[in-house]
Amino acid sequence: MKRSIGAVAVLAVTGMALTACGQSSSDADTIELTITQNAIAGGKNAAAADHIANWVIPKFEAAQKAKGKTVKVKFVPSGVDDEQYKTKLSLDLKSKKGADVIDIDGIWAGEFAEAGYIKPLSEVAGAETDSWEGWSQIPEAVQGLATYNGKKYALPIGTDGRVLYFNKTLFQKAGLPADWQPKSWQEIIDAGNKLKTAGVPTPIQINAGTAMGEATSMQGVLPLLAGAGGEIYKDGKWTGAAQPLKDALGLYQQIYGGSGLGDPKLQQEAKGRDKSFAEFADGKIGILMEGDYFWRGVVNPTDGVAKMADRDQVVGFAMIPAIQPGKGIRGQDFVSMSGGALRTVNPNSKHPKEAFELAAFTLSPEALKEETKQNVRITPRTDVNKEILTGDPLLMFISEKVLPLTAYRPPLAVYPQVSAALQEATAQVVSGKAPDQAAADYQAKLEGLVGGAGNVAS
């Protein structure tokens, strides 16, 4: 569990370790707090750094003063590679140092919790953390991002979702509706066949193979697994060659196994994902499974990497259906996968209650509305999303329809290796291996990664 956090002191980012959390200064009544993110003015995530320094800190200090408390907050910037930031945090937390309020990637939560680096919020800052007003505005599925072994370890900062995008112009050509919403995998295949008949070069693109890395897992095999009623990790066991995995790999076979519905080469090229973006923007791909990043950052008419001037008219989106209605995880008709970041309180903080108040303040409606003025994103809060996403149909769709039914990756240290093995299984199917055989090979690899067959459910 703790291997990846181990003694990687060489990577420690110099000069950033804080001698202790939130020291009280010589003025006995002043409470000093620190807050850190992997953000720095003029560099990485500059807008986030500016928001904390120029808006959150003065507003929070003023709000505390109004309550009769003198609180001084200092922002501790960082602008490094995510893995370096993770190593730095690990070393700080291990040696009982670090900022009072800390941002982490949701996928690190279990690993940090297992190592004792973070603790449940109620243990750190008291039972009142459970009655924070924000929880009632955060969908339960999104709260799952901050939950480990049934306990809340952090506050979710933001999230995203996966959908099926489709080209309405190509759909019209194929006699398919502009408001397409498939209710089963068969309906995706049927649409693909109509697109193929209409001469669309690549009817369906669902990420596969190892070259696409985590994009294969998050925008491919994991949503399909969820749609077949499976989860990669459940009740303390990893899913092996069980029926849901065989079903998911079976859909890959239907798309890439000689049917002409998908392009196997795209899955094997080093820049295959980028190429799939360009081909979709160029009207060569009919249906594409992707995250909201695709809408915001890829086909965005103003600054996308594969701009589509007519995005708002041409690009449709639909929920990802279960294999059949009611057959998805939790008996759902539709599924998705999400990622996201977390904000937590350092268990070593000298002022945990005030530190939690600071974390909660950054996620108040007022703070989130201010933060998203320049750069609109999906916040964890439904009340805020209703207000700020009105101008963006896709983000509104994800907030209202997708987030309530989404799922998250298990926040465990071995997950990246398990994910790579899953990607390998999809690569095998694209290359012609039978789904059942690829599932069996995956299970053999999985048992080696997670400590034997006893930790695998098949």
Side-chain angles (χ1 to χ4, degrees):
M1 266 327 237
K2 297 173 195 160
R3 194 170 58 86
S4 64
I5 305 183
V8 231
V10 279
L11 268 178
V13 185
T14 48
M16 269 170 46
L18 300 163
T19 47
C21 296
Q23 287 180 316
S24 292
S25 71
S26 52
D27 177 353
D29 296 331
T30 302
I31 293 168
E32 293 186 354
L33 295 174
T34 48
I35 180 168
T36 194
Q37 298 177 2
N38 196 7
I40 190 162
K44 185 169 186 165
N45 299 323
D50 294 343
H51 170 66
I52 294 288
N54 304 331
W55 194 90
V56 168
I57 290 177
K59 292 273 185 190
F60 179 73
E61 289 177 349
Q64 291 290 318
K65 197 160 205 66
K67 293 201 301 192
K69 283 186 186 178
T70 308
V71 179
K72 289 273 169 256
V73 183
K74 185 180 167 214
F75 177 59
V76 182
S78 176
V80 294
D81 173 75
D82 286 350
E83 283 302 314
Q84 275 181 286
Y85 175 70
K86 181 185 179 186
T87 302
K88 168 77 178 75
L89 289 183
S90 305
L91 292 166
D92 279 352
L93 292 165
K94 192 177 183 180
S95 52
K96 310 269 188 268
K97 296 176 185 168
D100 295 276
V101 178
I102 291 170
D103 280 14
I104 63 170
D105 190 331
I107 200 74
W108 307 340
E111 192 180 340
F112 276 32
E114 289 284 335
Y117 296 162
I118 60 172
K119 294 195 160 73
L121 289 173
S122 58
E123 279 180 34
V124 178
E128 58 267 35
T129 57
D130 289 327
S131 52
W132 172 52
E133 59 81 29
W135 291 123
S136 63
Q137 294 296 339
I138 300 175
E140 210 159 299
V142 178
Q143 292 186 28
L145 180 64
T147 307
Y148 182 65
N149 287 344
K151 292 182 173 173
K152 293 187 180 85
Y153 277 77
L155 304 178
I157 306 173
T159 188
D160 58 12
R162 308 292 177 277
V163 294
L164 291 174
Y165 291 97
F166 58 94
N167 184 311
K168 292 182 188 176
T169 310
L170 300 180
F171 264 50
Q172 193 176 5
K173 206 170 138 190
L176 289 159
D179 61 352
W180 183 65
Q181 175 55 71
K183 294 185 173 63
S184 66
W185 291 0
Q186 189 54 49
E187 288 185 16
I188 297 174
I189 296 295
D190 293 346
N193 282 318
K194 286 188 174 171
L195 289 162
K196 184 183 168 187
T197 305
V200 176
T202 306
I204 303 170
Q205 168 61 29
I206 295 179
N207 294 345
T210 53
M212 298 215 193
E214 193 59 15
T216 287
S217 301
M218 284 296 274
Q219 280 92 250
V221 67
L222 290 179
L224 295 181
L225 191 61
E231 289 176 74
I232 186 172
Y233 181 82
K234 194 183 180 194
D235 301 331
K237 288 188 187 250
W238 294 88
T239 296
Q243 196 55 46
L245 180 62
K246 291 176 182 173
D247 288 339
L249 294 175
L251 184 64
Y252 276 111
Q253 187 186 44
Q254 280 185 277
I255 295 167
Y256 297 112
S259 63
L261 293 180
D263 179 357
K265 285 201 186 71
L266 266 186
Q267 320 315 310
Q268 293 152 346
E269 291 179 21
K271 293 260 184 268
R273 189 176 179 218
D274 293 344
K275 205 166 166 188
S276 75
F277 293 162
E279 289 186 10
F280 185 95
D282 217 12
K284 292 184 178 143
I285 288 176
I287 300 165
L288 173 81
M289 189 187 288
E290 264 296 340
D292 57 70
Y293 160 72
F294 179 74
W295 176 268
R296 289 182 293 109
V298 177
V299 291
N300 188 320
T302 35
D303 55 6
V305 293
K307 289 187 196 69
M308 285 181 80
D310 51 4
R311 176 196 73 177
D312 296 0
Q313 293 73 50
V314 172
V315 182
F317 39 84
M319 290 184 286
I320 301 165
I323 184 168
Q324 287 170 344
K327 293 280 164 67
I329 53 165
R330 304 184 285 254
Q332 293 172 187
D333 297 335
F334 302 99
V335 297
S336 189
M337 287 298 295
S338 296
L342 302 172
R343 191 159 289 150
T344 192
V345 176
N346 189 328
N348 311 300
S349 174
K350 288 209 172 76
H351 306 287
K353 287 194 187 326
E354 289 80 7
F356 178 78
E357 283 178 31
L358 173 59
F361 181 80
T362 64
L363 295 168
S364 63
E366 193 191 3
L368 286 171
K369 282 184 228 169
E370 181 65 30
E371 186 193 342
T372 53
K373 265 184 189 164
Q374 301 306 318
N375 193 5
V376 175
R377 65 174 176 86
I378 299 168
T379 81
R381 298 184 65 122
T382 310
D383 53 353
V384 174
N385 290 340
K386 275 198 174 92
E387 217 173 298
I388 66 168
L389 302 180
T390 44
D392 194 303
L394 180 271
L395 296 182
M396 190 61 122
F397 180 78
I398 288 184
S399 173
E400 292 190 338
K401 297 269 204 292
V402 175
L403 291 187
L405 48 79
T406 197
Y408 291 90
R409 295 166 287 189
L412 300 167
V414 74
Y415 167 77
Q417 293 160 274
V418 173
S419 180
L422 260 187
Q423 294 156 29
E424 180 58 42
T426 66
Q428 289 180 343
V429 173
V430 169
S431 302
K433 189 171 272 194
D436 285 15
Q437 185 55 52
D441 291 355
Y442 166 72
Q443 172 152 339
K445 192 173 281 187
L446 181 66
E447 288 173 4
L449 291 172
V450 302
N455 296 320
V456 174
S458 55

